[in-house]
Amino acid sequence: MELTYYSDLAVRLVNTEEPLRGTDALTSVDAVRALFGEAQQAARRAGDADVARLRGVRTRLRAVFAAAAEGDEVRAVDLLNALLLEYPASPQISGHDYLDEAGRPRWHLHLAEHPSNATAGYAAIACMGLAFQLTDLGVDRLGICEALPCRNAYIDTSTNRSKRYCSDRCATRSNVAAYRARKRRERELSGRTAEVSQRTSAAGETRAR
C-alpha cells in the first residue's frame, strides 16, 4: 500500500467536518468504519466510543493543516509530532500481496498500526502517512481550501506548488465569485463616476445662468 494512501486518511478524516457550514459527517459507527476504506478488518474494531475519539483526532489534525496554511511550519510540525508520539505506528516491509511477472514479491513499506482500538489504529497510520508527505514535499504543501465556506484540508502535490483549493469545483466557484465581485465593483465605480460627472455638469450649467 502506498504511503500517499495513508496521508489521504488524514485528509479524509479532517474533511468529515465543515465548520463554517456547521456540518459533521462523523456521527455514527458506520461513518467511522467508512473512513477505513479498504481496511475492513481494522474497521470492524470500531465502536461507539470511536466517534468521539476520532473527532478529537480530527480537531488536532485540522490544526496541523491550519498552521501549515498560515505559514507557521514549526507549529504544524510540533502538532503533528505530538500526534505521532500519542499514536505510534511501526513501519514494516511487505510484499505478500504484490507479485511481479516472475512471481517474486514487490517489496514496499507498510505501516503496521497498534490495534488497541479503531481510533488508535486509524490515527497511527494517518499521522505517519501525513508525516511522510510533509517531510517529502514540504510543510507548505499542506493547506486549507481558500474557497469559502469550504475550508477542506488538502495536500498539494502539484509541480509548481500553486494549489489553493481542495478541488476544481471550489476553484471554479471561487473564480466565478471573484469575477462577479470585480464586475460589481466596476459597475459601482462607473455609477459613481457618472454621478460625479452629472453633478459637475449641473453645477457648470448653474454658473452659466
Side-chain angles (χ1 to χ4, degrees):
M1 189 175 291
E2 296 182 0
L3 294 178
T4 52
Y5 170 82
Y6 293 123
S7 62
D8 285 344
L9 293 180
V11 174
R12 189 184 305 171
L13 175 58
V14 172
N15 292 344
T16 58
E17 181 185 31
E18 295 180 299
L20 296 186
R21 288 192 174 107
T23 63
D24 188 346
L26 191 56
T27 58
S28 66
V29 175
D30 286 340
V32 170
R33 289 173 178 160
L35 283 171
F36 284 84
E38 298 176 358
Q40 294 302 312
Q41 184 175 355
R44 282 195 288 270
R45 295 197 303 268
D48 291 333
D50 289 298
V51 176
R53 289 187 190 124
L54 273 174
R55 282 180 171 180
V57 174
R58 179 181 65 189
T59 298
R60 295 169 67 183
L61 279 173
R62 177 173 284 279
V64 174
F65 281 92
E70 293 165 3
D72 193 343
E73 295 193 1
V74 173
R75 176 168 171 76
V77 170
D78 286 345
L79 290 171
L80 186 53
N81 273 336
L83 282 163
L84 290 169
L85 285 172
E86 188 171 342
Y87 300 103
S90 303
Q92 294 182 344
I93 298 173
S94 179
H96 54 83
D97 293 328
Y98 304 94
L99 302 179
D100 62 19
E101 295 178 354
R104 293 173 301 194
R106 293 179 178 177
W107 302 113
H108 61 279
L109 195 60
H110 174 77
L111 296 182
E113 30 86 5
H114 298 269
S116 57
N117 57 65
T119 296
Y122 191 97
I125 58 178
C127 293
M128 182 63 77
L130 189 60
F132 276 118
Q133 287 282 44
L134 183 150
T135 53
D136 184 43
L137 299 176
V139 182
D140 60 335
R141 295 300 191 105
L142 276 58
I144 297 289
C145 184
E146 294 183 11
L148 297 175
C150 175
R151 307 303 288 164
N152 272 348
Y154 66 82
I155 298 174
D156 182 5
T157 57
S158 65
T159 56
N160 57 359
R161 297 174 179 264
S162 61
K163 191 169 182 176
R164 297 166 53 204
Y165 307 101
C166 67
S167 65
D168 291 339
R169 179 181 179 184
C170 276
T172 299
R173 187 173 71 246
S174 184
N175 289 335
V176 169
Y179 172 80
R180 290 175 176 172
R182 185 170 64 253
K183 288 299 182 182
R184 185 167 57 252
R185 288 194 298 270
E186 290 175 356
R187 287 195 299 270
E188 292 172 353
L189 179 60
S190 177
R192 287 195 295 269
T193 301
E195 183 179 352
V196 170
S197 178
Q198 289 174 357
R199 289 178 179 176
T200 302
S201 178
E205 291 176 0
T206 300
R207 286 194 298 271
R209 292 173 186 166

